[in-house]
Amino acid sequence: MSLAMPLSLPALRHRLPLLLALGLSLALSFVLIAVRVVLTQQLTFVFLLWNLFLAAIPFALSAAIHLAAHRPKARLLLPVGVVWLLFFPNAPYLVTDLFHLEPRAGVPYWYDLALIMSCAWNGLMLAYASLMDMHTLVRQRLGFLAGWGFATVALGLSAFGVYLGRYLRFNSWDILSNPFTLFYDIVQRFLHPFHNWQTWGVTVVFWAFLLIGYATVRLLGRVEAATEREK
């Protein structure tokens, strides 16, 4: 944290268990990938390390906001929020890396399943943890409905971003390096929805999956809090 944004120690203590849990989960993915490289002498799934790094960016941004001793003002939150939204799809995108699962020589099939599932789990948890931070921020400033509206729209855009990444092979930085092609492909899918049914099939189904999962995670947290209060 910079001098302009000092760290809030109470916020850090409150968040420390989550950071430790996510750190252990990420470490498991790293170990599984490293062991596979040693066993097979191949770099087959090393690309998942890069995907995990990209997935951690939105979580790092949202965590930095909540760990600041003083909440940043709107003129800083807006650009940070835009960057967060651009990178946010990289977290749930890891679930689609299950497409790479197939029997391969050198390691058991179950090992690759565990490896990819570990990375997919980390992507989802980083996504939900980050979204909860941003959801809370919007709710505190604009109210309950705005908070859920933001979360719903963010997950919908993320589902569409997952489609763009998995099927059209766009990346978050293509908005700067290849904006015209990106814009053209997006517009075509809105102008001709019935000719691009796969786009909207993937987007709607993945949106529903992410939204139901996010709501479940939040409800689990409320159930635990309610149980603690009853003791």
Side-chain angles (χ1 to χ4, degrees):
M1 304 293 289
S2 66
L3 293 176
M5 192 179 292
L7 184 68
S8 169
L9 292 180
L12 178 60
R13 285 195 295 269
H14 180 75
R15 186 171 294 259
L16 192 57
L18 173 63
L19 295 176
L20 290 174
L22 287 174
L24 288 172
S25 188
L26 287 167
L28 175 61
S29 295
F30 297 161
V31 169
L32 289 172
I33 293 171
V35 170
R36 194 187 194 285
V37 171
V38 172
L39 291 176
T40 65
Q41 298 298 303
Q42 296 177 348
L43 304 178
T44 305
F45 288 122
V46 170
F47 70 90
L48 289 172
L49 295 175
W50 174 249
N51 288 356
L52 286 169
F53 169 74
L54 293 176
I57 291 176
F59 176 74
L61 290 172
S62 65
I65 293 173
H66 281 264
L67 287 175
H70 306 287
R71 291 291 171 85
K73 295 183 179 179
R75 64 175 179 269
L76 178 60
L77 285 176
L78 183 59
V80 171
V82 170
V83 175
W84 177 87
L85 189 58
L86 287 175
F87 280 93
F88 181 63
N90 291 297
Y93 175 86
L94 275 154
V95 174
T96 68
D97 283 321
L98 284 164
F99 284 12
H100 298 291
L101 183 63
E102 61 182 54
R104 290 181 170 89
V107 295
Y109 187 63
W110 62 262
Y111 187 92
D112 281 349
L113 174 62
L115 188 157
I116 299 176
M117 284 294 293
S118 171
C119 294
W121 170 263
N122 283 320
L124 276 179
M125 291 303 100
L126 287 168
Y128 288 155
S130 179
L131 183 58
M132 288 179 72
D133 283 342
M134 301 302 286
H135 184 163
T136 299
L137 187 64
V138 174
R139 177 180 55 79
Q140 289 173 344
R141 290 174 175 261
L142 301 176
F144 176 84
L145 292 179
W148 270 106
F150 169 81
T152 302
V153 171
L155 289 172
L157 292 175
S158 179
F160 185 65
V162 168
Y163 169 82
L164 293 176
R166 172 54 62 191
Y167 289 95
L168 301 187
R169 310 308 298 166
F170 285 111
N171 298 300
S172 298
W173 50 86
D174 279 317
I175 196 169
L176 297 176
S177 62
N178 194 19
F180 297 110
T181 302
L182 175 62
F183 181 74
Y184 175 81
D185 283 348
I186 291 175
V187 169
Q188 286 299 305
R189 276 148 182 80
F190 279 93
L191 292 178
H192 307 287
F194 296 108
H195 290 122
N196 295 282
W197 61 268
Q198 181 175 254
T199 301
W200 304 112
V202 171
T203 299
V204 170
V205 170
F206 211 71
W207 186 5
F209 166 72
L210 291 174
L211 185 57
I212 292 170
Y214 178 66
T216 302
V217 169
R218 290 188 66 92
L219 288 172
L220 285 172
R222 290 188 177 186
V223 168
E224 181 183 3
T227 302
E228 289 296 325
R229 287 194 297 269
E230 292 172 359
K231 290 182 179 179

